[in-house]
Each structure stands twice: as structure tokens, then as C-alpha cells.
Amino acid sequence: MRWGIGLDLSSLTRLFVDASSLRGVDAITDFASRTLGRLLDLEAAQVSLVRSQGDLTLASFWRRPESPLEPLTAGELALVARAAQDVEATCCVVDLSTAGLEVDPSAPTGLVWLPLCVAGAQLGALVGRGPGPLRLEQDQIEAATLLVQHAASLLDAALALRREQRAAVTDELTGLLNRRGFRERFREELDRAARGGRQLAIVVLDCDDLKAVNDRGGHELGDTALRAIGDFLRAEKRLEDAAARIGGDEFGLVIPDATTSEAVAIAERLRRSLIERGLESGCPMTATFGVASYPTDGGNLADLLRAADGAMYRAKAQGKNRTLSIASSSSAAST
């Protein structure tokens, strides 16, 4: 995008019509930060979006190639937001030093704050920093206000679409991937493993004696136990692994770049940690684990799930609360 964007209505209309073709949150936030920087001849600009906890998280950041500026953090943005609340305007200029931020004396302190709002709900903020003290002309304020309103409308639609897409692959009870999401994530990792000649493992785990839990406290208590398993897997799995509830009381893990023995070790760590968590909470929980790996035990999801399920059911038959792979001659005994 050229530097000299016209501030006249005709130029802005053409710009916004082009922007209306954008659908993804990343593309829209990138457009908004870059455009604000060029409209107002800024040093840097960023879009930060409201998270479920209420704080702002960085979505996009733009700066001039020679600029040393870094994005403002969530804590810094919270201070700026409080200072901006005192100015009842869609587009307001805030001085970082008066907002309570510690700033480098040689760095620019002028900041323009534009909340991204739709129907009274704040989606985030579009923030720009100038090369010096910011003094905006009326045509610049009007252009920036039109930009933030258009960007907010586009973001509202894109975020709604993202929520729908996530809901389609998310298990409602646990918040993990559902079977569809598990299948899609496995397909991505399988393609990656096949291209790179790498291994890929699947772990399935089945809660032990969930029927007894349901019989004792009803399905509400059973659902509580399933949510606890979901929270446990989310907290204890490796960052690169994908966890899912693939049906009833059965859960699955996609483990990239892992051999069978490595996946068994991961499963064993989880099994033991689950026991420890249950003892700490006073609600004992155990699960039985089955492990299969690509390409040793199969070349697609159906084959690997069949293999991992087979290993898990063999472990169940040996007494539950243990880990077994297809290649194993003996399982890791319950402890």
C-alpha cells in the first residue's frame, strides 16, 4: 500500500470496498493497523482484541522498517484505556507519560486510541504511535474514525465465523476437539509426517469405571468427571499435541514426531499424573491407555484408531489403569 493514501471520501471508499473482500481475522487486523499507520503518517500501529478474560491481546502489529518501537503490552494498553475513558471521543490522543507508563525519553509518547466497537460491545482497540507529539487534523480524525468503524464491522463478522468454525470441531462438554476436529488435525499431521518421513503416534484413553460414577451420582457427576479429564489433558499434554474427546468416555491424543516408545512414555506420564491429581482432589480417577503409531501400525486414522483401541481394550482386560501399545508384549502395570 502506498504511503500517500488520500483522505478524501472517494479514496477511502475505494479502499474500504477492497477491504470488504477480507474474511479472516488476521487479514482484517493487518489491514487495519497498516492503513492507520499510513493514513496518519505514524511510526507504528497495532490491533489488540478483547479475550474472554477481558484483557487485550495483540492481533497485528505494523511499524516503519526503521522504527525500534515494539507493541504495547496488555498491561500498558489497560493504562491507556483508562486514560482514554476520560476523553469522550471515538478517536482520542493520549500521552503515554501522563497515562502512567514508563517511557523512554527519546521515544515518541503520543498515541492515538480508537476502540473497535459494534452495537456497544468492544471487540478491541486500534492503536497508533506517532514519530513525535500527535496533532491530528480534522480530516485525519474523520478518516481514522471511518477506518475503525469499518474494521470493527468486518472483524465482528470474521470473529462470528471463527466461533462457528471452532464450535463445529469442539466438544461442547470438555472444550477439547471433537471427533471431527480430531480427524482434521490428524490429517494435517499425517500429511506433514508423510512429507518429512517422520513418525506420528495416536494415544486413546478410556475412563475407568465411569458407569459406576454415573450410578453413584447420576450423569451430572459423570459429566463433571469428563470435564475434569478434559481439563487435565489440556493442562498436561505437550504444546504440540492435540487432545480430543472422540466419543463417550474415550479421549484421544495426536502426538507428532513420536515413536511408539516415546508415545508410550508420554501416555504413562499422563496416566500417573491423573492418579496423582485424583488423590490430591479426593476424587480418584484412573484411565486405561492404548498407543499406536504411523507407519508401523497403520497408514490412516481408521487403522491407527483400530490399533490403539485394540491395545487399550487388551489393557482393560489385564486389569485397567495401565498403558499398552500394539507392539508391547506386556503393559505398564497400574500403580
Side-chain angles (χ1 to χ4, degrees), residues 147-164:
L147 169 64
V148 75
Q149 291 172 345
H150 190 64
S153 178
L154 293 174
L155 272 173
D156 187 46
L159 288 168
L161 178 61
R162 176 187 279 183
R163 288 191 294 271
E164 290 177 5

Side-chain angles (χ1 to χ4, degrees), residues 186-199 256-257:
F186 174 83
R187 187 181 300 117
E188 293 172 2
E189 294 296 343
L190 179 62
D191 289 344
R192 178 171 167 267
R195 288 195 306 270
R198 300 178 177 182
Q199 292 188 301
D257 300 317

